[in-house]
Amino acid sequence: MTRSVASTGVRAPGGRLPRTLLTALAPMAWGTTYAVTTELLPPGHPLFAALLRALPGGLIALAVTRTLPRGVWWGRAAVLGVLNMGLLFPLLFVAAERLPGGVAGTVAAAQPLVVALLAVPLLREGLSGRRLGWGLAGVAGVGLVVLGPGAAFDLAGFLAALGGASAMALGVTLTKRWGRPAGVGPTAFAGWQLTAGGLFLLPVTALAEGAPPAIGPGAAAGYLWLGTAGGLISYILWFRGIGTLPVGSVAVLVLLTPLVAAGLGAALLDETFGPVQLAGFALALAAIVAGQLPATGARRRA
C-alpha cells in the first residue's frame, strides 16, 4: 500500500500563520492573471496561455526532482491535474468570454462552499454551519467588490464558471484526502499535476486555436510570469498548504484571487473604490480571516 503524507500525522515545522501566509501567495499570484492577459498577451489565444502556464513548469519540476508517480499515483496525478488545471483553465476562459468579469469572479468565489459540501462525503467531516456562513459572506463580499452595473446573466457562462469552481474544489478536496506519497515533496507533486493538466490541454488547444500566436517581448514576459509565479511556484505553495492546513482554511484563501484582480484593475485603470466596494473588501477579508480560525466544538465523524 502506498503511504501518503496526509496519513502520517506529522505536522509541518513552523507555526500555522507563516504556512498560511505562504499558501496565500498562490491565489494572490493567480489574481494577476487577468491583468497580465489583457495587458501583455496576444488576444484570442487563452488556451495557449493556459497551456504555457501548466506544461513547461510541470516538465521543469519533473526534470529537477527526477521523481515520477508510482502505482496508483499515475491515475491520481492525472485526475488531480485535469481537475486543478486541465478543466479549470478552459472553463474559466469560457466564463470570462461569456460573462462580465465581476459575475465570473463572484461565481468562482463559491469554491469554499463547494469544498465544505464535498468534505462531508470525501473527508468524512461534519457539515459546518460556521464554514457555510462565512463562505456565503465571502461570496457576498466579492460580489460587492467586483459586480458592476453591466452585470448580466448567461447560462453557458454561469455553468462554465460554476464548473471551474467545482472542478478545483473537487481537486482540492481529493488532494487533501489522498495526501502525497511518502518521500515526495510539493515540487514533484506540483510537477505531476501541471504536466498532466498540460498534456490534457495540448490537444484541446491545438484543435480550438490552431497555430500559436506570434510572441513579442511583452508577451514573452507575460507567459513567463504565468508559467512561473502563476504556475509552478504558486502551485508548489498551494499543494504544500493543502498538505499542512485544514482544507476549509485553504479553500477560503481563493477569495484573494478576485480581490487582487479587482485591486490591480483599479490601479491600472486609475480608478478608486467607493464605499460599497470597500465594504465588500472588508467582508471578504473577514471571511478569509474567519476561515483560518479553528472550529470550536467541531468533531470529525468516525
Side-chain angles (χ1 to χ4, degrees):
M1 179 181 295
T2 304
R3 197 164 66 103
S4 297
V5 171
S7 65
T8 63
V10 179
R11 299 184 62 181
R16 178 169 169 176
L17 179 59
R19 288 182 277 127
T20 300
L21 294 176
L22 281 175
T23 306
L25 292 176
M28 292 176 69
W30 300 336
T32 67
T33 301
Y34 179 78
V36 170
T37 300
T38 56
E39 298 298 319
L40 297 175
L41 302 188
H45 294 272
L47 292 178
F48 181 72
L51 176 64
L52 290 191
R53 185 179 172 185
L55 189 56
L59 295 175
I60 290 172
L62 294 183
V64 170
T65 61
R66 298 183 180 182
T67 303
L68 293 176
R70 293 183 180 180
V72 70
W73 276 100
W74 282 103
R76 289 181 176 179
V79 169
L80 294 176
V82 170
L83 289 173
N84 288 320
M85 297 96 176
L87 281 178
L88 173 67
F89 295 164
L91 288 172
L92 290 184
F93 286 128
V94 171
E97 288 179 356
R98 302 186 67 100
L99 292 173
V103 178
T106 303
V107 177
Q111 186 193 131
L113 294 173
V114 182
V115 170
L117 295 175
L118 290 174
V120 176
L122 295 180
L123 302 180
R124 305 182 71 182
E125 294 183 357
L127 188 59
S128 169
R130 173 178 170 273
R131 184 184 296 178
L132 291 175
W134 280 113
L136 289 171
V139 174
V142 169
L144 291 175
V145 173
V146 301
L147 285 178
F153 180 81
D154 176 89
L155 180 59
F158 173 82
L159 292 176
L162 184 60
S166 300
M168 189 173 181
L170 180 57
V172 168
T173 310
L174 287 177
T175 300
K176 189 66 177 180
R177 176 183 174 89
W178 291 336
R180 292 197 313 269
V184 174
T187 300
F189 195 58
W192 295 354
Q193 297 188 45
L194 287 166
T195 301
L199 291 177
F200 176 85
L201 284 167
L202 188 59
V204 175
T205 303
L207 291 173
E209 296 182 355
I215 300 176
Y223 287 130
L224 181 62
W225 172 263
L226 290 180
T228 54
L232 179 59
I233 295 173
S234 61
Y235 276 107
I236 291 173
L237 296 175
W238 184 244
F239 293 131
R240 181 180 183 274
I242 292 175
T244 60
L245 296 169
V247 67
S249 300
V250 175
V252 78
L253 293 176
V254 174
L255 296 177
L256 289 168
T257 297
L259 296 183
V260 170
L264 283 177
L268 292 174
L269 297 176
D270 198 25
E271 296 177 349
T272 57
F273 287 131
V276 173
Q277 287 77 23
L278 292 176
F281 253 103
L283 182 58
L285 290 175
I288 293 171
V289 172
Q292 310 313 309
L293 302 177
T296 57
R299 294 181 179 179
R300 184 180 297 269
R301 293 190 305 179

